[in-house]
Amino acid sequence: MPSMIGEALKGHLDLLLLAILAEGPAHGYAVIESLRRRSSGTFDLPEGTIYPALHRLESQGLLHSSWSEDSARRKRIYQMTPKGLQTLAKRQEEWMRFSKAINATVGI
Amino acid sequence: MKENRIQTYLRKLERHLWLRGLADQNDLAELESHLLETVEQGLDQGLSLVAAETQALERFGSVKIVVSTFEKERKSVMQNILLAVAVLAGLFSAYVDSRPTWDDTGILAGGLLMISGLLTLLGHRKPWLIALAVGIWIPLHDIYLSHDFRLLLVLLFPLVGAYGGWLVRLGIRKTLHPA
């Protein structure tokens, strides 16, 4: 059975990815590492499943990607677009309301 | 030269993505870059090459999980439009077939075959679904009237068309983007 955290995480993956990329451009590996580190290992999805979400966010115009040749290996670097920043602000606001309501309901 | 585990994994992943019309060389290059970076990180931590590759693949997820995520995320508006066109074409065929003045089964069968083929050629990724959406209406209508289930054989025409179009599309993609 899928873990509760894993299933809940899928519903909020866009918000998490946008929040990480709002801090600056990064390639997929760095985004995944950041997701793991900032959640102290709690958000530990199979790494290969993050890329389709990044590609979808790009096709929605929330991210832009370009290939970097700076290092020994080619890397696809993602960065936020203005539309991505607007969407992030909206999603953060929704999350605040949602988490506040959940906390009030469960008595935290 | 013997292929390493990462290359074997990537070839399998590419094959499964390609079969679903999802393979993209840029995406695969990105996934390869990620896996090689994870292996390098494992080696830096003192793991053997085999252990580092194993760890990288475990963290990445099975081919099945990754392919299924790509499939879910790429459900595009175009897939729904093509399916809607298939349903409309199927309903129109059933309407034409139900007219008392219509008596050309050959043209209708050819029409079902061609429209199904065209829709999968244009990019719908599920030939069986297109065949069903195009071809189910004539047998449904006729079975309702005659209770003759042999009429389900009509579905063979859109099935042949849909899989034909799908195979041609895969062939075109393979020619344009050789693995």
Side-chain angles (χ1 to χ4, degrees):
Chain A
M1 198 175 91
S3 73
M4 186 182 156
I5 289 174
E7 286 305 298
L9 178 55
K10 282 177 198 164
H12 303 290
L13 190 55
D14 291 7
L15 170 63
L16 297 169
L17 295 177
L18 291 174
I20 288 167
L21 283 163
E23 292 183 356
H27 68 307
Y29 185 91
V31 171
I32 293 162
E33 281 292 304
S34 179
L35 186 62
R36 188 180 292 120
R37 197 179 54 250
R38 287 164 66 162
S39 69
S40 306
T42 307
F43 298 159
D44 196 15
L45 286 173
E47 294 171 356
T49 64
I50 302 293
Y51 286 96
L54 287 170
H55 299 165
R56 176 174 46 73
L57 292 172
E58 186 180 13
S59 72
Q60 291 170 346
L62 307 182
L63 299 178
H64 169 74
S65 78
S66 55
W67 287 87
S68 156
E69 312 280 351
D70 294 347
S71 55
R73 188 175 306 115
R74 286 180 79 225
K75 289 175 180 174
R76 192 179 193 166
I77 308 291
Y78 293 91
Q79 62 181 38
M80 294 284 275
T81 62
K83 189 180 170 189
L85 286 167
Q86 281 174 7
T87 305
L88 174 62
K90 197 176 147 200
R91 296 269 171 91
Q92 282 173 327
E93 202 182 303
E94 285 169 0
W95 174 254
M96 289 280 281
R97 279 206 310 270
F98 178 73
S99 58
K100 211 169 149 185
I102 290 278
N103 288 344
T105 307
V106 299
I108 294 173
Chain B
M1 201 174 90
K2 194 169 177 266
E3 202 174 52
N4 69 33
R5 296 186 65 199
I6 300 294
Q7 287 166 330
T8 306
Y9 175 92
L10 285 167
R11 277 183 359 115
K12 190 176 172 190
L13 182 65
E14 181 178 14
R15 196 169 62 248
H16 282 267
L17 289 172
W18 180 78
L19 281 170
R20 289 160 180 80
L22 295 168
D24 177 290
Q25 291 309 310
N26 275 333
D27 293 350
L28 287 161
E30 183 182 29
L31 303 184
E32 180 179 20
S33 172
H34 177 103
L35 282 165
L36 294 177
E37 196 165 347
T38 318
V39 170
E40 272 173 21
Q41 191 200 43
L43 293 173
D44 288 346
Q45 289 168 350
L47 295 178
S48 69
L49 180 61
V50 173
E53 286 178 350
T54 305
Q55 177 184 264
L57 292 173
E58 276 172 4
R59 280 169 47 174
F60 202 74
S62 69
V63 167
K64 193 178 166 189
I65 288 174
V66 175
V67 168
S68 121
T69 314
F70 265 95
E71 253 189 324
K72 279 179 206 155
E73 295 281 9
R74 296 273 170 91
K75 262 187 194 164
S76 68
V77 175
M78 183 52 82
Q79 297 290 307
N80 293 334
I81 291 173
L82 292 173
L83 184 61
V85 171
V87 171
L88 289 175
L91 286 169
F92 181 70
S93 309
Y95 169 74
V96 171
D97 185 56
S98 69
R99 297 292 86 201
T101 49
W102 179 262
D103 192 25
D104 203 332
T105 312
I107 290 181
L108 208 57
L112 294 177
L113 190 139
M114 282 179 64
I115 187 76
S116 307
L118 186 66
L119 291 169
T120 49
L121 186 64
L122 285 174
H124 202 284
R125 293 195 288 267
K126 291 183 176 164
W128 62 269
L129 185 60
I130 287 294
L132 210 59
V134 169
I136 196 66
W137 309 104
I138 291 176
L140 270 185
H141 177 257
D142 293 351
I143 288 168
Y144 175 72
L145 294 177
S146 67
H147 304 286
D148 184 356
F149 284 86
R150 283 176 302 180
L151 289 162
L152 282 171
L153 286 172
V154 171
L155 276 171
L156 282 176
F157 294 99
L159 273 171
V160 169
Y163 277 94
W166 181 70
L167 286 172
V168 170
R169 183 167 55 88
L170 288 187
I172 292 170
R173 286 183 70 93
K174 187 85 175 166
T175 310
L176 294 177
H177 306 287

